[in-house]
Structure formats: structure tokens, C-alpha cells
Amino acid sequence: MIVDPAVLSVTFPGQLRFHYWGKDSMFRHPLAKRFLENCGVVPVDRKNKNNAQLYAATYEVMRLGESVAVFPEGTSHTLPHLGVLKDGTSFAALEYAKQVEDDPRPNADGSLPRQPVVLPVGIVYSEKSKYRSVVIVKYGQPISVDPYLATYREDPKRAAKQLTADLTSSLKSLTVDAPDWESRDAAEMARRLLFPGQGKLMRDYIPVTQNLITSFTELAKTDPEVAVLQQSLRAYKLELDALALKDSHIAKYDEKDITGIATTIGLLRHTLASLLDLPLILPGIVCHLPLYIAGHFAGKFEIYEEVRAQDKIMLGILLLPIVYVAIFIWGWLTLFGGTSFGFLEALATLGILAWYHTVMIDERYEDFKDLMGRWRLFDAFVLGRGMWRRKQRILHLKALRDTNIASVRAMIKQYESKNAAVHVVSVAIRNRAKYLHSLPRLRGEAKTIAKQYAWSLSLDD
């Protein structure tokens, strides 16, 4: 799994170089072994659990004043909660601290060795395998191993367990941790309904989502209506996924019924806007089309989300140089006559094309997804096509959304002063509402969004 290490490497403050622990099976091929060693990857013997070589290589790296990044869950497959952390990280940190204390000789470069610290990092993905989805990285407070060292000298296993427990507690505060997918999905959908216009980029995504999970987990045990609401929210999410729609597609019809006329007008308006943009974005899309096609099919044949994301990245890395070299050669020979000066012109043109395509996608990708959703609504309500009575299912979705909004708002009002987790969510809603209503001259979509927060202004301060 290369996504997590890549994210960690590019977000770490100071851009320090990391060494990673990796399965020793990846080192079997000579070329792979050479590549991984050059990247600073340290092999882990999982089969025989022989950690002597692993710890020796780790300590060598740390003696150089460099850092080792470890994923202590031991797996990259997505769970709704934090997995059980293995003790290897704790043992490595404590043993190295013990060695430094027992043998404080200078490092090879003359510097004095430093006691290690463990820095917890939480990585949260909105949709890991989806193109241009969001990742949130949060760094916690460094954990010094000094307080555990005396215990480690007497009972290494107990000290390692203590450090692992404290690391687990810290990581839970940096991530979204749910007991099951039911509460995780319900909380995610409740967040979308309570915070319209925020999408996946809201600043307090983690605390809001985590407190919604806590709210459902606690309240569903004693309040049957909250238990029903949790099930209803998840049913709404699963049906949206099955119809390849987003909540935003259904939300646009809050003020009126979903009708053929409304669907057609909305589709025509957005299609016309897209057609006006087409001459600007088409060259970049055509040139990068092999990458989009490869990424699409890479996600079709893999059940694990992490592997789908990894396959898409690897295909992109492999195909991008080929595509760009082909475009460069074609442009140089066809557009610029194959001359020496044409070589520089073709090179500059390729750089501008890559930059321009990225800018266009950044600005228009969400609009493109919205347009695809409108086409699906048009297909169901105007053309009347689609299996499993798509039109009736979408109408049911709208009714279910209205019911869920009313119910989740009622839950917030009822429990905001009785439940600490609900109170945190209500404060976030109220702050968002006050901010929107403080803005002068709200127009268009911003004005529509602000109206959807009006109910929250009656919440207790």
C-alpha cells in the first residue's frame, strides 16, 4: 500500500526523509530490493518474526538522526475503527532509548544520539479510491519514551503495552473511530445533512464526525427513535450509492418536487454551461484520456479499496511518462517541424498543457460530477429508463432525505444540553450559521445554503 506513505511523506513538517518498515517479501526481486533500499525501506520478517535484523537497521537509521515511519496496525485495509496496534513500534522505541542511555557514544557524524519520541499521525480519507477525493492529516503531540524506560528495564512487555495503549489513545483522537460501519455511515450522512455546503473539506470534519458517531452509539441504546434514525440514515446512504447519486443531487430539489420539467431545466442549464467550457478543457482531457480510462478499469477488478487506490496511482505513474513523451514527439514533429528551436517550443507547450489541464480539473471536476448526477435524474424522470423502477426509488430517496433531516435536527435540539457529543455538534452548527448570516449580500447558492442553517439559530447558546 503506497498511498499512506506517500501522504505522510509530503505532509510531514519540514519535509524530512522517512524510512519505512516494509514486508521482506517485497525485497525478493533484485531490482525491487535495490529500489526499496535506495528509498530507505527497512525489511520486516513477518513469517518468522525475527526482529533482530529489523531493529538493527532501525537503530542504524536513528543513529543517523533520521526518522522511521511505522503503521502499527500492520494492515492497510479500511476498517470503521482503529485496528489493534501491534507492540513492535513500542519495543523498537524503548529498546533504542535503552541503548542510547547505556551507550551514549557519539554518532558516526560526531553528533550526540537523541532519545526517541513517538509522533502519532492520523490519516483520514473521505473516499480513498475515488479520483480527487480528500485526505485529512493530523499530527498529535509527541510521546516521549522516558517515562516508560524504568519499567522497560524491569518488564519490557508491560512497558511496551503501556506505550502502545497511550499511542492508541492519541491516534483515536486524531482519526474517525466507529464501532461498526452502521454508525460510521449514519454519522457521515448526518454530517452532510446538518452542514449543507460543507462537503468533505470542512475544517472540523474529524471532531464533528466523531461526535456524531459517539452520539448515535450512546443514544441509540436508550432512545428507539435515535436507533431508527441511525438505520434510516444508513439506508439513505446505501441507496444513494446504489443509484450512483450524491446527496447534493437530491438536495437541489428541497424547495420543489422532483419533476420531469425541473429535472430537464436543470440539466439543460448545466449542460449549456459545460458546452461553453468544452473548448477550454477538451484538449487536456483528450491528451490525458488514456490515464482516465486506465484509472477507471483499475477500480473494476479489485475488491479492496486500498488496492484500487494503489493500482490507480501505479498505472498513472507508469502511463504518464509514456503519454507525455508521445505528446511531445507528436507536437515537436507535427506542430513545430522537428527543428532544434521547435524542440524547446514543444517542451514548453507540454509543460503549459500539463499545468493548464490541472487547473481546469481543479475548477470544474465537481461541476462535472454534478452534471453526471443530473443526467441520471433526467434518465429516470424524463426518458423513463433504468431497471428496478429508478424513478420511484429516487422519489423515495427525496422523501427519506426530508424525514432524515427533520429527525436529525430534532435529535440535536433534544439532546444538545443533555449529551456532551451532541453539544459539540450543535456548537459547530451554530457557529457555521452565525458566520453565514454575518456575511453581507449573500446571493445565489450561498443564500440558499444560509437559509438551511436558519433552524439552528434557535439552539441554546
Side-chain angles (χ1 to χ4, degrees):
M1 177 60 188
I2 65 173
V3 179
D4 288 346
V7 168
L8 186 58
S9 294
V10 300
T11 61
F12 189 75
Q15 299 292 298
L16 297 178
R17 183 190 181 196
F18 278 124
H19 297 263
Y20 291 93
W21 285 359
K23 293 185 295 184
D24 60 346
S25 58
M26 299 189 301
F27 289 76
R28 290 173 183 169
H29 193 282
L31 292 179
K33 181 176 184 294
R34 183 175 180 181
F35 173 78
L36 292 170
E37 287 177 346
N38 286 337
C39 291
V41 180
V42 179
V44 179
D45 185 355
R46 287 186 174 181
K47 184 177 181 180
N48 300 315
K49 296 186 177 180
N50 180 11
N51 293 326
Q53 180 183 2
L54 169 65
Y55 289 162
T58 300
Y59 303 154
E60 182 180 351
V61 166
M62 298 180 72
R63 277 279 184 176
L64 295 174
E66 299 182 357
S67 300
V68 178
V70 181
F71 297 94
E73 291 173 281
T75 179
S76 60
H77 296 315
T78 296
L79 298 170
H81 52 78
L82 187 68
V84 177
L85 270 58
K86 302 183 184 301
D87 295 325
T89 303
S90 299
F91 273 116
L94 288 166
E95 180 60 27
Y96 178 72
K98 177 176 173 292
Q99 288 190 14
V100 169
E101 191 174 83
D102 294 343
D103 182 15
R105 70 181 188 278
N107 296 325
D109 61 357
S111 63
L112 294 176
R114 295 177 297 175
Q115 286 287 1
V117 294
V118 180
L119 179 64
V121 185
I123 303 177
V124 178
Y125 298 91
S126 59
E127 296 172 295
K128 184 178 288 187
S129 63
K130 298 295 184 181
Y131 179 64
R132 303 191 78 77
S133 57
V134 174
V135 57
I136 301 171
V137 184
K138 292 189 69 177
Y139 290 85
Q141 292 296 320
I143 301 175
S144 172
V145 301
D146 287 346
Y148 309 88
L149 199 50
T151 304
Y152 182 74
R153 290 183 179 278
E154 298 176 0
D155 189 343
K157 187 173 182 179
R158 183 160 67 94
K161 291 291 183 184
Q162 290 175 352
L163 178 54
T164 300
D166 291 343
L167 178 58
T168 299
S169 177
S170 179
L171 286 174
K172 283 186 176 181
S173 70
L174 301 173
T175 58
V176 176
D177 192 71
D180 48 51
W181 283 115
E182 287 75 14
S183 56
R184 173 72 180 263
D185 289 344
E188 179 63 32
M189 191 49 61
R191 182 191 64 79
R192 291 177 182 273
L193 298 179
L194 290 169
F195 294 86
Q198 289 289 277
K200 307 163 191 170
L201 291 173
M202 60 186 297
R203 182 179 56 186
D204 45 0
Y205 174 94
I206 291 178
V208 166
T209 306
Q210 185 60 58
N211 278 283
L212 282 169
I213 290 171
T214 304
S215 302
F216 285 121
T217 303
E218 294 176 353
L219 299 176
K221 296 176 182 178
T222 57
D223 190 334
E225 292 185 358
V226 174
V228 171
L229 171 61
Q230 181 176 342
Q231 295 173 3
S232 180
L233 287 165
R234 188 164 195 253
Y236 178 62
K237 178 188 183 300
L238 295 177
E239 186 70 349
L240 282 174
D241 293 343
L243 292 170
L245 293 171
K246 300 288 186 182
D247 174 66
S248 57
H249 299 138
I250 308 299
K252 295 180 186 301
Y253 297 89
D254 273 350
E255 304 299 328
K256 50 192 173 184
D257 293 331
I258 299 180
T259 64
I261 294 177
T263 302
T264 302
I265 292 175
L267 175 65
L268 289 176
R269 185 170 66 248
H270 284 76
T271 300
L272 179 60
S274 298
L275 288 174
L276 293 175
D277 269 349
L278 191 60
L280 299 175
I281 63 176
L282 188 59
I285 291 177
V286 171
C287 292
H288 293 81
L289 193 59
L291 300 174
Y292 290 120
I293 294 175
H296 173 75
F297 284 103
K300 294 293 184 181
F301 307 107
E302 181 55 59
I303 60 173
Y304 292 114
E305 187 177 25
E306 289 77 11
V307 182
R308 288 201 303 270
Q310 176 176 281
D311 290 348
K312 290 181 179 182
I313 292 173
M314 292 305 298
L315 278 173
I317 292 173
L318 293 173
L319 286 178
L320 188 64
I322 298 173
V323 170
Y324 277 10
V325 167
I327 294 173
F328 169 76
I329 293 175
W330 175 82
W332 180 33
L333 298 178
T334 305
L335 300 179
F336 302 107
T339 64
S340 299
F341 185 71
F343 180 92
L344 298 177
E345 289 180 306
L347 193 62
T349 302
L350 179 63
I352 293 173
L353 174 67
W355 167 80
Y356 186 70
H357 174 67
T358 302
V359 171
M360 291 294 103
I361 292 297
D362 283 341
E363 293 180 352
R364 291 167 172 79
Y365 185 64
E366 291 300 324
D367 292 337
F368 172 76
K369 290 197 297 183
D370 179 65
L371 180 61
M372 291 297 98
R374 291 178 182 275
W375 271 105
R376 294 186 183 102
L377 292 174
F378 179 80
D379 182 65
F381 284 88
V382 179
L383 301 182
R385 301 188 306 171
M387 300 174 63
W388 306 297
R389 299 177 302 147
R390 290 185 69 209
K391 179 177 179 179
Q392 288 72 19
R393 291 173 69 184
I394 293 173
L395 288 172
H396 172 70
L397 267 181
K398 181 189 182 300
L400 185 59
R401 184 182 193 276
D402 292 342
T403 300
N404 285 339
I405 287 179
S407 298
V408 75
R409 288 177 178 176
M411 183 190 80
I412 297 296
K413 289 183 177 181
Q414 180 180 353
Y415 288 103
E416 65 164 329
S417 60
K418 303 175 182 177
N419 183 278
V422 176
H423 179 72
V424 171
V425 177
S426 70
V427 170
I429 297 171
R430 190 164 57 248
N431 288 341
R432 178 63 177 166
K434 290 179 178 179
Y435 168 75
L436 287 173
H437 284 81
S438 69
L439 297 176
R441 298 181 182 180
L442 288 174
R443 295 189 181 92
E445 186 176 0
K447 186 176 182 180
T448 302
I449 292 174
K451 288 182 179 179
Q452 296 178 57
Y453 283 93
W455 70 275
S456 65
L457 296 178
S458 62
L459 295 175
D460 294 337
D461 289 324

